[in-house]
């Protein structure tokens, strides 16, 4: 089955610092989804990456997909307290191009704390 | 677009009791998913529907769990004879699935179940 490993498991950064979270797959990545979750709440969709080399940005968050390395990275520039939370990557087990993809499988998450 | 709505937000029950959760997806979404999440873990897939058809159930889902989506709109998840190990956050998500395109899942805020 698709296994997604995230690193680091937790991260504490000072406000204003940059940080990177990685998501590595044991199988070919056909698409990669990044979500953010605050404690006790649901997941908020951030970005979807579907092509190798694709890079997307939303405000100060940038995500990239490296299909050859079966890896995606999420980079936050000039972190703020509002960035604190759990970041989760998710991927479809099957190939999207076959039309058989069913459910997203998620990594265990990276807990981010931003200190003042 | 009011988002995915889940009720109740919290449920405390005694071991052996039955519980039922409700999920109202985004109205035009044809897929509806149930996930379970425990502390420090990513969401774990339970089951999903496309319209009213239940297309897949996780092997982890015991016979005590049943889900329905009678008219292809809202869904219910019932757990019979609850056990302490059922304590978790139950998340519902929906998506608009159009075949090959990998559409993101939109999550509700979850129902937190505590079995005493």
């Amino acid at each position: 089955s698709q296994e997604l490993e995230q690193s680091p498991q937790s991260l504490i950064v000072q406000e204003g610092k940059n940080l990177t979270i990685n998501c590595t797959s044991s199988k070919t990545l056909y698409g990669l989804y990044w979500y953010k979750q605050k404690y006790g709440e649901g997941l908020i969709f951030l970005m979807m990456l579907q092509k190798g080399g694709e890079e997307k940005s939303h405000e100060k968050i940038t995500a990239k997909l490296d299909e050859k390395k079966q890896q995606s990275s999420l980079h936050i520039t000039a972190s703020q307290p509002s960035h604190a939370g759990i970041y989760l990557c998710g991927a479809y087990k099957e190939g999207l191009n076959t039309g058989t993809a069913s459910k997203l499988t998620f990594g265990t998450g990276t807990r981010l704390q931003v200190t003042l | 677009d009011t988002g995915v709505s889940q009720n109740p937000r919290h449920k405390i029950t005694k071991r052996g009791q039955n519980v039922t959760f409700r999920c109202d997806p985004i109205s035009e979404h044809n897929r509806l998913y149930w996930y379970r999440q425990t502390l420090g873990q990513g969401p774990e897939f339970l089951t999903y529907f496309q319209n009213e058809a239940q297309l897949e159930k996780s092997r982890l889902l015991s016979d005590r769990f049943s889900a329905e989506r009678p008219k292809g709109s809202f869904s219910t998840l019932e757990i019979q004879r609850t056990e302490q190990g059922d304590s978790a956050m139950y998340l519902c998500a929906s998506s608009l699935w159009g075949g090959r395109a990998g559409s993101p899942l939109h999550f509700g805020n979850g129902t937190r179940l505590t079995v005493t």
Side-chain angles (χ1 to χ4, degrees):
Chain A
S1 63
Q2 179 105 52
E3 296 289 341
L4 293 174
E5 197 169 307
Q6 288 187 235
S7 62
Q9 287 188 325
S10 64
L11 196 53
I12 303 173
V13 299
Q14 197 173 21
E15 184 178 4
K17 298 293 186 185
N18 303 337
L19 63 108
T20 299
I21 297 169
N22 292 305
C23 174
T24 303
S25 172
S26 60
K27 296 193 172 184
T28 303
L29 281 170
Y30 294 101
L32 197 289
Y33 299 73
W34 283 101
Y35 287 84
K36 179 185 174 185
Q37 184 178 32
K38 294 204 168 180
Y39 180 74
E41 298 181 8
L43 282 66
I44 299 169
F45 171 67
L46 295 175
M47 276 171 279
M48 174 173 72
L49 303 165
Q50 290 190 286
K51 299 177 184 177
E54 187 173 13
E55 181 174 322
K56 286 188 177 177
S57 292
H58 175 68
E59 298 179 344
K60 293 185 178 179
I61 301 176
T62 301
K64 301 179 186 179
L65 179 62
D66 185 334
E67 271 188 350
K68 288 183 182 177
K69 291 185 180 177
Q70 297 178 180
Q71 186 177 62
S72 178
S73 60
L74 185 85
H75 184 77
I76 299 177
T77 304
S79 58
Q80 300 169 355
S82 60
H83 288 129
I86 301 169
Y87 289 83
L88 292 147
C89 63
Y92 281 104
K93 182 180 175 180
E94 303 86 2
L96 289 174
N97 59 348
T98 63
T100 60
S102 57
K103 73 274 188 185
L104 282 181
T105 301
F106 288 91
T108 53
T110 295
R111 182 179 296 274
L112 171 64
Q113 290 178 257
V114 180
T115 61
L116 298 174
Chain B
D1 179 1
T2 56
V4 178
S5 176
Q6 290 189 249
N7 287 290
R9 287 296 311 276
H10 303 275
K11 179 71 178 178
I12 300 173
T13 191
K14 291 185 178 178
R15 189 177 54 187
Q17 298 294 305
N18 299 344
V19 294
T20 300
F21 310 141
R22 177 180 170 121
C23 172
D24 287 273
I26 294 171
S27 57
E28 64 268 25
H29 284 184
N30 52 3
R31 281 198 173 181
L32 186 148
Y33 299 78
W34 285 99
Y35 283 82
R36 177 171 63 189
Q37 187 178 28
T38 53
L39 200 62
Q41 300 296 315
E44 179 183 54
F45 170 77
L46 293 179
T47 187
Y48 88 98
F49 295 82
Q50 181 151 317
N51 300 312
E52 65 274 7
Q54 187 172 18
L55 297 188
E56 188 174 344
K57 283 178 67 171
S58 167
R59 284 170 289 179
L60 301 172
L61 210 61
S62 77
D63 291 342
R64 297 184 296 106
F65 288 72
S66 62
E68 293 182 344
R69 194 184 184 197
K71 296 183 180 178
S73 56
F74 74 92
S75 175
T76 57
L77 177 69
E78 182 184 16
I79 309 174
Q80 295 182 327
R81 304 180 303 282
T82 52
E83 301 172 357
Q84 287 186 322
D86 297 332
S87 295
M89 174 78 92
Y90 289 84
L91 293 163
C92 176
S94 68
S95 71
L96 182 61
W97 186 258
R100 293 186 174 185
S103 52
L105 274 59
H106 296 268
F107 283 82
N109 277 327
T111 294
R112 181 169 295 282
L113 173 67
T114 303
V115 182
T116 61

